[in-house]
Amino acid sequence: MEIDDWRKKIDALNGRLLALLNQRAQYALEIGKIKQTTGQPVYAPDRETAVLNHIREINTGPLSNDAVQRIFRQIIDESLRLEREHGEDRSANG
């Protein structure tokens, strides 16, 4: 295959990744609603540790465990930001 063929495959994967990230974000918003209703804090450090440990356990490379941990920390940070923003919106409108 040529470089353009590989790039097309990457472009297709990027679209799938984006859809999955947005689906994950929607799930985080639903969890955020439950947390707010039950008075739980947005940030759960034990859960973050569990997620990162699981990711390391299932990682088969070629990305290193450090690399996937950095990626997932960013995903988790964005999910928390989204939960906080939507929690504030519900508080202001409720």
Side-chain angles (χ1 to χ4, degrees), residues 43-74:
Y43 180 59
D46 291 345
R47 174 63 180 152
E48 179 177 349
T49 299
V51 168
L52 295 174
N53 287 340
H54 178 69
I55 292 302
R56 282 192 300 272
E57 289 171 11
I58 64 173
N59 180 35
T60 59
L63 289 172
S64 70
N65 282 341
D66 286 344
V68 294
Q69 185 169 317
R70 284 191 302 272
I71 292 165
F72 273 84
R73 278 189 196 276
Q74 189 64 43

Side-chain angles (χ1 to χ4, degrees), residues 1 5 9 13 24 26 28 33 38 40 46 49 53 60 64-65 69 75 81 85-86:
M1 280 200 306
D5 298 319
K9 287 181 172 285
L13 276 176
R24 188 187 190 287
Q26 187 59 53
K33 289 178 189 175
T38 59
Q40 297 177 53
D46 291 345
T49 299
N53 287 340
T60 59
S64 70
N65 282 341
Q69 185 169 317
I75 292 168
R81 183 190 58 75
E85 285 179 359
H86 281 260

